[in-house]
């Protein structure tokens, strides 16, 4: 029997809810062996959110948070290893996505850059494991959006010649990967995933998310608000495209709320935000062609039955399900993807897809911090 090839993926997305750490055997078909979630302390989450928009004294605040997050990523890794009963010396490498605090894709008026923090020097030093990090900037250097990067992994594990498939990742933002049975893999960010719903409920009840979409389900979609939100140019922009909290945030929502003729209740706003996520994903999928597709959802949004139901309603000829039906828990796919991307880098293989990010070439992603 061949030796296992053990990699760890560390992921914390725009929701800034937690660090997801996944131990994966990449010897052949990627196999999730163990997982650990380290929720962010409320203060850390607040610091991340506040650095996601321009503000005062950003360099000092960013530097301090870079260090704190590096230590937390290391802590998540050590807890994962302890749970799994595996030692650091057995791990080939860690792939750490880092925490995005700013994403300015090509065409941004503020300049072109993307910034993920969580110091990989600390991760390598505190775990004793070679760490690959800073994946997005090489794609951007090659002319790409720097995002999304998960489609190459989605293709590696979910492509089949039997059906056209779409993998929908609903984190803070949402992105899709189109895997036609024949032909090229494509994908892009569709817009907000959970980020607006999380922010709205947090400011009303203090909850960090709307569990099972229950609050949204108690309201009515406000047609005028939905229509106003859908006029944002991002939703009709052709791919390649990527986005973040810089574009879809409370100020963006407030602009539309302020112009309404009739004020919705707060539950109606939540219902409308859920509908916005479902509608923008469904519209993007409808544009991929008329053939019936299998739609598999991953990311935290897959645990929101209301959102899953609205997606299915809006895509009646497609079949919508969680990736759990394919045997992979939706929470762990993105962390697994970064374990896989680390292996790509360590083996000197490219990680981006030109048709997805718009990069001029497929490149080896990330920097390597040796153990
Ligand atoms: N049971 C649930 N009901 C509704 N939403 C959920 C549920 N579980 C997770 N979520 C949503 O998923 C989000 C986290 O998703 P995740 O994939 O970790 O996003 P990110 O990659 O941005 O960190 C939470 O903030 C929440 O909005
Ligand atoms: Mg998360």
């Amino acid at each position: 029997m061949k030796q296992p090839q053990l990699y760890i993926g560390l992921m914390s997305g725009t929701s800034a809810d937690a660090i997801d750490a996944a131990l994966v055997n990449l010897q052949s078909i990627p196999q999730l062996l163990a997982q650990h979630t380290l929720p962010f302390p409320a203060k850390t989450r607040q610091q991340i959110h506040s650095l996601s928009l321009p503000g005062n004294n950003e360099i000092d605040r960013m530097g301090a948070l870079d260090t704190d997050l590096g230590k937390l990523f290391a802590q998540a890794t050590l807890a994962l290893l302890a749970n799994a009963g595996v030692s650091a010396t057995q791990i080939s490498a860690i792939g750490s996505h880092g925490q995005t605090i700013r994403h300015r894709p090509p065409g941004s008026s503020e300049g072109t850059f993307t910034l993920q923090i969580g110091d990989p020097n600390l991760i390598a030093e505190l775990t004793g494991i070679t760490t690959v990090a800073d994946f997005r900037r090489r794609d951007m250097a090659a002319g790409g959006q720097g995002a999304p990067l998960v489609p190459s992994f989605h293709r590696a594990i979910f492509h089949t010649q039997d059906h056209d498939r779409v993998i929908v990742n609903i984190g803070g933002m949402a992105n899709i990967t189109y895997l036609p049975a024949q032909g090229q893999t494509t994908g892009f960010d569709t817009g907000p995933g959970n980020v607006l719903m999380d922010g709205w409920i947090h400011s009303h009840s203090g909850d960090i998310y709307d569990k099972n979409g229950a609050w949204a389900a108690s309201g009515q979609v406000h047609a005028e608000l939905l229509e106003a939100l859908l006029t944002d140019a991002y939703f009709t922009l052709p791919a390649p495209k990527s986005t973040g909290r810089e574009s879809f945030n409370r100020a963006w929502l407030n602009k539309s709320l302020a112009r309404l003729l009739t004020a919705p209740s707060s539950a109606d706003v939540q219902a409308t935000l859920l509908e916005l996520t479902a509608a923008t994903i469904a519209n993007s999928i409808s544009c991929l062609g008329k053939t019936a597709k299998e739609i598999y959802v991953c990311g935290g949004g897959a645990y929101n039955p209301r959102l899953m139901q609205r997606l299915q309603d809006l895509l009646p000829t497609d079949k919508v399900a969680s990736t759990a039906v394919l045997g992979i828990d939706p929470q762990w796919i993105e962390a697994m993807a970064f374990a896989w991307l680390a292996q790509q880098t360590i083996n000197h293989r490219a990680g981006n897809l030109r048709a997805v990010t718009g990069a001029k070439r497929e490149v080896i992603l990330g920097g390597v911090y040796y153990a």
Side-chain angles (χ1 to χ4, degrees), residues 274-325:
L274 184 145
E275 190 68 15
L276 175 73
T277 295
T280 49
I281 293 170
N283 291 344
S284 300
I285 291 174
S286 302
C287 290
L288 298 174
K290 295 219 179 325
T291 54
K293 294 173 276 297
E294 294 180 351
I295 317 275
Y296 295 103
V297 182
C298 59
Y303 299 98
N304 183 330
R306 180 74 179 175
L307 184 55
M308 293 292 280
Q309 185 58 53
R310 288 305 299 145
L311 269 177
Q312 181 64 81
D313 295 343
L314 294 168
L315 295 164
T317 57
D318 298 329
K319 200 180 91 210
V320 178
S322 153
T323 58
V325 308

Side-chain angles (χ1 to χ4, degrees), residues 13-15 17 171-172 194 198 209-212 299-301 303-304 334:
T14 39
S15 298
D17 56 327
N194 297 299
D198 285 356
Y209 68 93
D210 181 8
K211 192 155 196 297
N212 302 335
Y303 299 98
N304 183 330
E334 224 181 348

Side-chain angles (χ1 to χ4, degrees), residues 11-20 37 40 99 171-172 300 331 334:
M11 183 65 213
S12 168
T14 39
S15 298
D17 56 327
I19 297 169
D20 292 328
T37 300
F40 283 129
Q99 181 67 51
Q331 185 183 342
E334 224 181 348

